[in-house]
Short mmCIF file of all heavy atoms in Angstrom, two decimals:
data_model
loop_
_atom_site.label_atom_id
_atom_site.label_comp_id
_atom_site.label_asym_id
_atom_site.label_seq_id
_atom_site.Cartn_x
_atom_site.Cartn_y
_atom_site.Cartn_z
N MET D 1 388.19 72.39 189.85
CA MET D 1 387.89 71.91 191.18
C MET D 1 388.20 70.41 191.28
O MET D 1 388.09 69.74 190.26
CB MET D 1 386.44 72.25 191.55
CG MET D 1 385.36 71.33 190.92
SD MET D 1 383.70 71.99 191.13
CE MET D 1 383.38 72.21 189.31
N LYS D 2 388.39 69.96 192.50
CA LYS D 2 388.66 68.60 192.72
C LYS D 2 387.32 67.78 192.98
O LYS D 2 386.56 68.23 193.81
CB LYS D 2 389.67 68.47 193.90
CG LYS D 2 390.38 67.11 193.86
CD LYS D 2 391.64 67.10 194.64
CE LYS D 2 392.37 65.88 194.45
NZ LYS D 2 393.37 65.93 193.38
N GLN D 3 387.20 66.70 192.27
CA GLN D 3 385.98 65.91 192.38
C GLN D 3 386.35 64.47 192.50
O GLN D 3 387.35 64.03 191.95
CB GLN D 3 385.09 66.13 191.24
CG GLN D 3 384.84 67.55 190.84
CD GLN D 3 384.06 67.81 189.65
OE1 GLN D 3 383.03 67.13 189.42
NE2 GLN D 3 384.60 68.48 188.62
N SER D 4 385.45 63.65 193.21
CA SER D 4 385.66 62.26 193.31
C SER D 4 384.49 61.50 192.72
O SER D 4 383.33 61.86 192.89
CB SER D 4 385.82 61.84 194.81
OG SER D 4 387.07 62.27 195.26
N PHE D 5 384.78 60.37 192.09
CA PHE D 5 383.76 59.51 191.53
C PHE D 5 384.09 58.10 192.05
O PHE D 5 385.19 57.63 192.06
CB PHE D 5 383.84 59.57 190.01
CG PHE D 5 383.66 60.92 189.46
CD1 PHE D 5 384.70 61.78 189.31
CD2 PHE D 5 382.32 61.36 189.09
CE1 PHE D 5 384.61 63.03 188.86
CE2 PHE D 5 382.22 62.61 188.54
CZ PHE D 5 383.22 63.57 188.48
N GLN D 6 382.94 57.34 192.29
CA GLN D 6 383.04 55.97 192.63
C GLN D 6 382.61 55.23 191.35
O GLN D 6 381.38 55.25 191.07
CB GLN D 6 382.13 55.61 193.83
CG GLN D 6 382.44 54.29 194.49
CD GLN D 6 383.86 54.17 194.99
OE1 GLN D 6 384.35 55.12 195.63
NE2 GLN D 6 384.59 53.09 194.71
N VAL D 7 383.57 54.56 190.69
CA VAL D 7 383.30 54.00 189.42
C VAL D 7 383.34 52.46 189.51
O VAL D 7 384.26 51.85 190.17
CB VAL D 7 384.29 54.36 188.30
CG1 VAL D 7 384.06 53.75 186.98
CG2 VAL D 7 384.24 55.94 188.16
N GLN D 8 382.21 51.80 189.03
CA GLN D 8 382.24 50.27 189.05
C GLN D 8 382.62 49.63 187.74
O GLN D 8 382.33 50.32 186.63
CB GLN D 8 380.81 49.88 189.42
CG GLN D 8 380.38 50.28 190.83
CD GLN D 8 378.89 50.33 190.95
OE1 GLN D 8 378.06 49.95 190.20
NE2 GLN D 8 378.47 50.79 192.19
N GLY D 9 383.26 48.53 187.74
CA GLY D 9 383.57 47.78 186.53
C GLY D 9 384.91 47.98 186.03
O GLY D 9 385.35 47.39 185.01
N MET D 10 385.74 48.72 186.67
CA MET D 10 387.20 48.86 186.30
C MET D 10 388.01 47.77 186.87
O MET D 10 387.99 47.50 188.13
CB MET D 10 387.77 50.20 186.82
CG MET D 10 387.15 51.38 186.21
SD MET D 10 388.07 52.92 186.63
CE MET D 10 387.93 52.87 188.47
N SER D 11 388.65 47.01 186.00
CA SER D 11 389.44 45.82 186.60
C SER D 11 390.89 45.78 186.20
O SER D 11 391.59 44.99 186.77
CB SER D 11 388.70 44.50 186.06
OG SER D 11 388.64 44.60 184.62
N CYS D 12 391.36 46.63 185.31
CA CYS D 12 392.75 46.64 184.96
C CYS D 12 393.27 47.92 184.38
O CYS D 12 392.45 48.88 184.37
CB CYS D 12 392.91 45.55 183.84
SG CYS D 12 392.15 45.94 182.27
N GLY D 13 394.46 47.91 184.03
CA GLY D 13 395.06 49.19 183.58
C GLY D 13 394.33 49.76 182.33
O GLY D 13 394.30 51.00 182.19
N HIS D 14 393.90 48.87 181.43
CA HIS D 14 393.09 49.35 180.33
C HIS D 14 391.85 50.18 180.72
O HIS D 14 391.60 51.16 180.16
CB HIS D 14 392.78 48.16 179.46
CG HIS D 14 391.76 48.54 178.33
ND1 HIS D 14 390.43 48.37 178.37
CD2 HIS D 14 392.05 49.06 177.14
CE1 HIS D 14 389.91 48.85 177.30
NE2 HIS D 14 390.86 49.29 176.50
N CYS D 15 391.13 49.58 181.68
CA CYS D 15 390.04 50.30 182.23
C CYS D 15 390.32 51.68 182.80
O CYS D 15 389.69 52.66 182.45
CB CYS D 15 389.33 49.51 183.30
SG CYS D 15 388.74 47.88 182.77
N ALA D 16 391.45 51.74 183.56
CA ALA D 16 391.87 53.02 184.07
C ALA D 16 392.14 54.02 182.98
O ALA D 16 391.80 55.14 183.13
CB ALA D 16 393.10 52.76 184.94
N HIS D 17 392.84 53.46 181.89
CA HIS D 17 393.24 54.36 180.80
C HIS D 17 391.92 54.81 180.08
O HIS D 17 391.83 55.94 179.68
CB HIS D 17 394.09 53.58 179.87
CG HIS D 17 394.59 54.35 178.70
ND1 HIS D 17 395.57 55.36 178.80
CD2 HIS D 17 394.19 54.34 177.45
CE1 HIS D 17 395.73 55.89 177.65
NE2 HIS D 17 394.91 55.27 176.77
N ALA D 18 391.08 53.90 179.83
CA ALA D 18 389.75 54.21 179.16
C ALA D 18 388.96 55.32 179.92
O ALA D 18 388.41 56.19 179.29
CB ALA D 18 388.90 52.92 178.93
N VAL D 19 388.87 55.16 181.27
CA VAL D 19 388.18 56.12 182.05
C VAL D 19 388.91 57.53 181.97
O VAL D 19 388.21 58.55 181.86
CB VAL D 19 388.02 55.69 183.50
CG1 VAL D 19 387.60 56.77 184.47
CG2 VAL D 19 387.07 54.51 183.56
N THR D 20 390.24 57.45 182.05
CA THR D 20 391.05 58.71 181.91
C THR D 20 390.79 59.39 180.63
O THR D 20 390.47 60.57 180.62
CB THR D 20 392.51 58.37 182.14
OG1 THR D 20 392.70 57.79 183.41
CG2 THR D 20 393.35 59.64 182.01
N GLN D 21 390.77 58.61 179.54
CA GLN D 21 390.54 59.22 178.21
C GLN D 21 389.07 59.74 178.12
O GLN D 21 388.89 60.74 177.48
CB GLN D 21 390.78 58.16 177.15
CG GLN D 21 392.31 57.82 176.99
CD GLN D 21 393.20 59.08 176.78
OE1 GLN D 21 393.94 59.42 177.61
NE2 GLN D 21 393.00 59.69 175.62
N ALA D 22 388.10 59.00 178.75
CA ALA D 22 386.76 59.43 178.66
C ALA D 22 386.56 60.85 179.31
O ALA D 22 385.90 61.72 178.78
CB ALA D 22 385.83 58.44 179.41
N VAL D 23 387.22 61.02 180.52
CA VAL D 23 387.20 62.37 181.18
C VAL D 23 387.85 63.40 180.34
O VAL D 23 387.30 64.55 180.14
CB VAL D 23 387.93 62.23 182.57
CG1 VAL D 23 387.91 63.60 183.16
CG2 VAL D 23 387.20 61.25 183.45
N ARG D 24 388.85 62.93 179.60
CA ARG D 24 389.67 64.02 178.85
C ARG D 24 388.84 64.36 177.54
O ARG D 24 389.22 65.47 176.94
CB ARG D 24 391.01 63.58 178.50
CG ARG D 24 391.83 63.53 179.77
CD ARG D 24 393.39 63.55 179.52
NE ARG D 24 393.96 63.80 180.81
CZ ARG D 24 395.05 63.01 181.27
NH1 ARG D 24 395.47 62.02 180.38
NH2 ARG D 24 395.58 63.21 182.38
N THR D 25 387.81 63.63 177.14
CA THR D 25 387.09 64.03 176.03
C THR D 25 386.26 65.26 176.33
O THR D 25 385.94 66.06 175.46
CB THR D 25 386.09 62.88 175.54
OG1 THR D 25 385.20 62.52 176.52
CG2 THR D 25 386.80 61.63 175.04
N VAL D 26 385.85 65.38 177.61
CA VAL D 26 385.09 66.58 177.97
C VAL D 26 385.99 67.70 178.60
O VAL D 26 385.60 68.91 178.70
CB VAL D 26 383.94 66.29 178.96
CG1 VAL D 26 382.80 65.46 178.31
CG2 VAL D 26 384.38 65.59 180.26
N ASP D 27 387.16 67.37 179.01
CA ASP D 27 388.10 68.39 179.49
C ASP D 27 389.58 67.88 179.21
O ASP D 27 390.13 67.08 180.03
CB ASP D 27 387.89 68.61 180.95
CG ASP D 27 388.96 69.65 181.50
OD1 ASP D 27 389.75 70.13 180.71
OD2 ASP D 27 388.85 69.85 182.66
N PRO D 28 390.22 68.27 178.16
CA PRO D 28 391.52 67.69 177.81
C PRO D 28 392.61 68.15 178.83
O PRO D 28 393.63 67.43 178.89
CB PRO D 28 391.86 68.45 176.46
CG PRO D 28 390.46 68.87 175.93
CD PRO D 28 389.59 69.16 177.13
N GLN D 29 392.29 69.13 179.69
CA GLN D 29 393.28 69.52 180.72
C GLN D 29 393.05 68.74 181.98
O GLN D 29 393.80 69.10 182.91
CB GLN D 29 393.13 71.07 181.02
CG GLN D 29 393.10 71.91 179.77
CD GLN D 29 394.28 71.91 178.94
OE1 GLN D 29 395.37 71.64 179.44
NE2 GLN D 29 394.15 72.16 177.62
N ALA D 30 392.09 67.96 182.10
CA ALA D 30 391.71 67.20 183.35
C ALA D 30 392.86 66.42 183.92
O ALA D 30 393.60 65.81 183.12
CB ALA D 30 390.52 66.29 183.22
N GLN D 31 393.08 66.52 185.19
CA GLN D 31 394.00 65.61 185.89
C GLN D 31 393.23 64.50 186.50
O GLN D 31 392.19 64.69 187.18
CB GLN D 31 394.73 66.44 187.06
CG GLN D 31 395.49 67.68 186.69
CD GLN D 31 396.70 67.20 185.86
OE1 GLN D 31 397.39 66.34 186.09
NE2 GLN D 31 396.84 67.96 184.70
N VAL D 32 393.57 63.28 186.17
CA VAL D 32 392.79 62.15 186.49
C VAL D 32 393.55 61.13 187.23
O VAL D 32 394.74 60.78 186.74
CB VAL D 32 392.22 61.41 185.27
CG1 VAL D 32 391.26 60.29 185.73
CG2 VAL D 32 391.36 62.41 184.40
N GLN D 33 393.12 60.71 188.46
CA GLN D 33 393.90 59.65 189.18
C GLN D 33 392.88 58.58 189.50
O GLN D 33 391.83 58.72 190.11
CB GLN D 33 394.35 60.36 190.49
CG GLN D 33 395.58 59.63 191.03
CD GLN D 33 396.39 60.60 191.98
OE1 GLN D 33 395.73 61.43 192.64
NE2 GLN D 33 397.70 60.36 192.12
N VAL D 34 393.22 57.36 189.04
CA VAL D 34 392.36 56.18 189.20
C VAL D 34 392.98 55.20 190.22
O VAL D 34 394.17 54.84 190.09
CB VAL D 34 392.27 55.39 187.82
CG1 VAL D 34 391.35 54.18 188.02
CG2 VAL D 34 391.52 56.34 186.81
N ASP D 35 392.12 54.84 191.23
CA ASP D 35 392.60 53.78 192.20
C ASP D 35 391.85 52.49 191.82
O ASP D 35 390.56 52.46 192.21
CB ASP D 35 392.34 54.23 193.63
CG ASP D 35 392.92 53.23 194.53
OD1 ASP D 35 394.11 52.85 194.49
OD2 ASP D 35 392.14 52.66 195.27
N LEU D 36 392.41 51.54 191.16
CA LEU D 36 391.63 50.36 190.68
C LEU D 36 391.08 49.61 191.88
O LEU D 36 389.90 49.09 191.71
CB LEU D 36 392.60 49.43 189.85
CG LEU D 36 392.80 49.89 188.32
CD1 LEU D 36 393.77 48.92 187.73
CD2 LEU D 36 391.39 49.86 187.58
N ALA D 37 391.80 49.45 192.96
CA ALA D 37 391.40 48.68 194.03
C ALA D 37 390.06 49.12 194.65
O ALA D 37 389.25 48.33 194.99
CB ALA D 37 392.49 48.58 195.07
N SER D 38 389.92 50.48 194.84
CA SER D 38 388.77 50.93 195.45
C SER D 38 387.71 51.44 194.48
O SER D 38 386.56 51.70 194.73
CB SER D 38 389.11 52.10 196.36
OG SER D 38 389.70 53.15 195.63
N GLY D 39 388.14 51.67 193.15
CA GLY D 39 387.25 52.16 192.17
C GLY D 39 387.10 53.64 192.26
O GLY D 39 386.14 54.23 191.64
N LYS D 40 387.92 54.30 193.02
CA LYS D 40 387.82 55.66 193.24
C LYS D 40 388.48 56.47 192.08
O LYS D 40 389.74 56.19 191.79
CB LYS D 40 388.41 56.06 194.59
CG LYS D 40 388.08 57.48 194.96
CD LYS D 40 388.24 57.58 196.56
CE LYS D 40 388.16 59.02 197.03
NZ LYS D 40 389.46 59.77 196.91
N VAL D 41 387.92 57.40 191.50
CA VAL D 41 388.54 58.26 190.48
C VAL D 41 388.46 59.63 190.97
O VAL D 41 387.46 60.26 191.20
CB VAL D 41 387.83 58.06 189.15
CG1 VAL D 41 388.46 58.93 188.06
CG2 VAL D 41 387.81 56.63 188.65
N ASP D 42 389.64 60.20 191.11
CA ASP D 42 389.82 61.67 191.49
C ASP D 42 390.10 62.41 190.20
O ASP D 42 390.95 62.11 189.38
CB ASP D 42 390.94 61.85 192.53
CG ASP D 42 390.53 61.24 193.85
OD1 ASP D 42 389.39 61.37 194.24
OD2 ASP D 42 391.56 60.72 194.49
N VAL D 43 389.31 63.47 190.08
CA VAL D 43 389.50 64.35 188.88
C VAL D 43 389.59 65.74 189.21
O VAL D 43 388.89 66.30 190.08
CB VAL D 43 388.23 64.18 187.99
CG1 VAL D 43 388.27 65.10 186.73
CG2 VAL D 43 388.03 62.75 187.56
N GLU D 44 390.62 66.42 188.69
CA GLU D 44 390.78 67.88 188.85
C GLU D 44 390.39 68.55 187.51
O GLU D 44 391.01 68.28 186.59
CB GLU D 44 392.20 68.14 189.22
CG GLU D 44 392.55 69.68 189.25
CD GLU D 44 392.06 70.35 190.56
OE1 GLU D 44 392.19 69.77 191.61
OE2 GLU D 44 391.54 71.44 190.42
N SER D 45 389.20 69.13 187.47
CA SER D 45 388.64 69.64 186.22
C SER D 45 387.80 70.94 186.48
O SER D 45 387.10 70.95 187.54
CB SER D 45 387.91 68.53 185.57
OG SER D 45 387.14 69.07 184.38
N SER D 46 387.58 71.64 185.40
CA SER D 46 386.74 72.84 185.52
C SER D 46 385.25 72.38 185.11
O SER D 46 384.34 73.12 185.38
CB SER D 46 387.13 73.94 184.59
OG SER D 46 387.27 73.46 183.34
N ARG D 47 385.08 71.19 184.55
CA ARG D 47 383.86 70.75 184.16
C ARG D 47 383.04 70.16 185.37
O ARG D 47 383.63 69.78 186.34
CB ARG D 47 383.91 69.61 183.13
CG ARG D 47 384.62 70.02 181.86
CD ARG D 47 384.08 71.18 181.14
NE ARG D 47 382.69 70.97 180.75
CZ ARG D 47 382.44 70.50 179.52
NH1 ARG D 47 383.26 70.21 178.64
NH2 ARG D 47 381.11 70.46 179.24
N ASP D 48 381.70 70.30 185.30
CA ASP D 48 380.90 69.84 186.49
C ASP D 48 380.73 68.38 186.55
O ASP D 48 381.08 67.57 185.72
CB ASP D 48 379.48 70.48 186.42
CG ASP D 48 378.63 70.07 185.26
OD1 ASP D 48 378.21 68.91 185.22
OD2 ASP D 48 378.36 70.95 184.38
N HIS D 49 380.41 67.98 187.78
CA HIS D 49 380.36 66.57 188.18
C HIS D 49 379.55 65.73 187.17
O HIS D 49 379.97 64.64 186.81
CB HIS D 49 379.84 66.43 189.66
CG HIS D 49 380.11 65.16 190.30
ND1 HIS D 49 379.27 64.08 190.17
CD2 HIS D 49 381.09 64.78 191.17
CE1 HIS D 49 379.75 63.02 190.89
NE2 HIS D 49 380.87 63.46 191.47
N ALA D 50 378.36 66.21 186.88
CA ALA D 50 377.47 65.50 186.17
C ALA D 50 378.06 65.21 184.62
O ALA D 50 377.79 64.09 184.06
CB ALA D 50 376.11 66.21 186.00
N THR D 51 378.71 66.25 184.12
CA THR D 51 379.24 66.09 182.79
C THR D 51 380.37 64.98 182.75
O THR D 51 380.40 64.18 181.77
CB THR D 51 379.89 67.44 182.35
OG1 THR D 51 378.83 68.49 182.35
CG2 THR D 51 380.50 67.36 180.98
N ILE D 52 381.18 65.02 183.81
CA ILE D 52 382.33 64.06 183.89
C ILE D 52 381.66 62.73 184.08
O ILE D 52 382.06 61.67 183.50
CB ILE D 52 383.23 64.43 185.04
CG1 ILE D 52 383.91 65.76 184.57
CG2 ILE D 52 384.32 63.35 185.16
CD1 ILE D 52 384.67 66.34 185.63
N ALA D 53 380.67 62.56 185.05
CA ALA D 53 380.09 61.19 185.25
C ALA D 53 379.44 60.69 183.95
O ALA D 53 379.60 59.55 183.61
CB ALA D 53 379.03 61.42 186.33
N HIS D 54 378.80 61.56 183.21
CA HIS D 54 378.22 61.09 181.91
C HIS D 54 379.20 60.62 181.04
O HIS D 54 379.05 59.60 180.36
CB HIS D 54 377.37 62.26 181.33
CG HIS D 54 376.68 61.94 180.15
ND1 HIS D 54 375.55 61.09 180.11
CD2 HIS D 54 376.95 62.18 178.82
CE1 HIS D 54 375.13 61.03 178.77
NE2 HIS D 54 375.90 61.59 178.03
N ALA D 55 380.33 61.24 180.92
CA ALA D 55 381.38 60.81 179.95
C ALA D 55 381.99 59.41 180.35
O ALA D 55 382.24 58.60 179.49
CB ALA D 55 382.51 61.85 179.98
N ILE D 56 382.12 59.24 181.73
CA ILE D 56 382.58 57.99 182.13
C ILE D 56 381.58 56.85 181.83
O ILE D 56 381.90 55.72 181.34
CB ILE D 56 382.89 58.03 183.78
CG1 ILE D 56 384.01 58.96 183.96
CG2 ILE D 56 383.15 56.61 184.20
CD1 ILE D 56 384.23 59.16 185.43
N GLU D 57 380.23 57.16 182.04
CA GLU D 57 379.29 56.15 181.78
C GLU D 57 379.11 55.83 180.26
O GLU D 57 378.80 54.78 179.84
CB GLU D 57 377.86 56.59 182.34
CG GLU D 57 378.00 56.66 183.85
CD GLU D 57 376.67 56.57 184.53
OE1 GLU D 57 375.70 57.16 184.03
OE2 GLU D 57 376.60 55.88 185.55
N GLU D 58 379.42 56.84 179.48
CA GLU D 58 379.36 56.64 177.98
C GLU D 58 380.33 55.69 177.58
O GLU D 58 380.24 54.98 176.63
CB GLU D 58 379.67 57.95 177.26
CG GLU D 58 378.44 58.92 177.25
CD GLU D 58 377.50 58.58 176.18
OE1 GLU D 58 377.74 58.78 175.02
OE2 GLU D 58 376.33 58.03 176.50
N GLU D 59 381.43 55.51 178.33
CA GLU D 59 382.52 54.61 178.08
C GLU D 59 382.31 53.24 178.50
O GLU D 59 382.97 52.33 178.27
CB GLU D 59 383.82 55.19 178.80
CG GLU D 59 385.11 54.55 178.39
CD GLU D 59 385.46 54.80 176.88
OE1 GLU D 59 385.09 55.79 176.36
OE2 GLU D 59 386.00 53.83 176.30
N GLY D 60 381.10 53.06 179.26
CA GLY D 60 380.69 51.80 179.68
C GLY D 60 380.89 51.37 181.08
O GLY D 60 380.72 50.28 181.47
N TYR D 61 381.19 52.46 181.92
CA TYR D 61 381.49 52.15 183.41
C TYR D 61 380.33 52.87 184.14
O TYR D 61 379.86 53.96 183.81
CB TYR D 61 382.81 52.63 183.85
CG TYR D 61 383.86 51.93 183.03
CD1 TYR D 61 384.38 52.54 181.92
CD2 TYR D 61 384.38 50.72 183.45
CE1 TYR D 61 385.42 51.84 181.11
CE2 TYR D 61 385.29 50.02 182.68
CZ TYR D 61 385.82 50.61 181.49
OH TYR D 61 386.81 49.99 180.84
N LYS D 62 379.97 52.21 185.24
CA LYS D 62 378.87 52.72 186.03
C LYS D 62 379.45 53.58 187.16
O LYS D 62 380.35 53.21 187.83
CB LYS D 62 378.12 51.55 186.72
CG LYS D 62 376.88 51.95 187.52
CD LYS D 62 375.55 51.57 186.83
CE LYS D 62 374.46 52.22 187.52
NZ LYS D 62 374.40 53.69 187.49
N VAL D 63 378.80 54.83 187.24
CA VAL D 63 379.28 55.75 188.28
C VAL D 63 378.18 55.77 189.42
O VAL D 63 377.09 55.99 189.17
CB VAL D 63 379.40 57.18 187.73
CG1 VAL D 63 379.83 58.18 188.87
CG2 VAL D 63 380.40 57.20 186.64
N ALA D 64 378.58 55.36 190.61
CA ALA D 64 377.67 55.33 191.70
C ALA D 64 377.29 56.76 192.07
O ALA D 64 378.12 57.67 192.04
CB ALA D 64 378.38 54.67 192.96
N ALA D 65 376.01 56.89 192.51
CA ALA D 65 375.53 58.23 192.82
C ALA D 65 376.14 58.78 194.24
O ALA D 65 376.53 57.94 195.01
CB ALA D 65 374.07 58.25 192.98
CU1 CU M 101 390.23 46.59 182.09
#
C-alpha cells in the first residue's frame, strides 16, 4: 500500500539515501520516494505505517505524527 511520511531533519542526498535504506531494512521490496524540499517521503510497502516510521526514527530522523 502507498503511505506518506512527513520526515524532519533531512537536508541532503545522504539523508534521503539513509532514510531509503532504513525503510528497506524492514521491507527490502519497498519503493521509496523522498522529496527533500518538503520532507515528504512516499513509500509503497506491505509493512504497516508504524513499522516504517519506527525504522526511519531509528535512523535518527523525526517522523511527524
Ligand atoms: Cu544529509
Side-chain angles (χ1 to χ4, degrees):
M1 80 193 110
K2 201 160 185 89
Q3 311 178 49
S4 284
F5 301 85
Q6 195 60 44
V7 179
Q8 292 157 8
M10 296 188 298
S11 54
C12 68
H14 171 264
C15 298
H17 183 73
V19 167
T20 299
Q21 290 307 112
V23 174
R24 293 204 172 127
T25 61
V26 293
D27 179 3
Q29 312 297 334
Q31 301 294 316
V32 185
Q33 209 161 24
V34 178
D35 183 62
L36 278 178
S38 64
K40 193 163 172 274
V41 177
D42 290 319
V43 178
E44 174 74 45
S45 171
S46 55
R47 303 302 300 268
D48 63 68
H49 196 275
T51 300
I52 295 169
H54 183 73
I56 294 171
E57 295 203 320
E58 285 280 288
E59 193 61 37
Y61 300 93
K62 183 105 186 71
V63 179

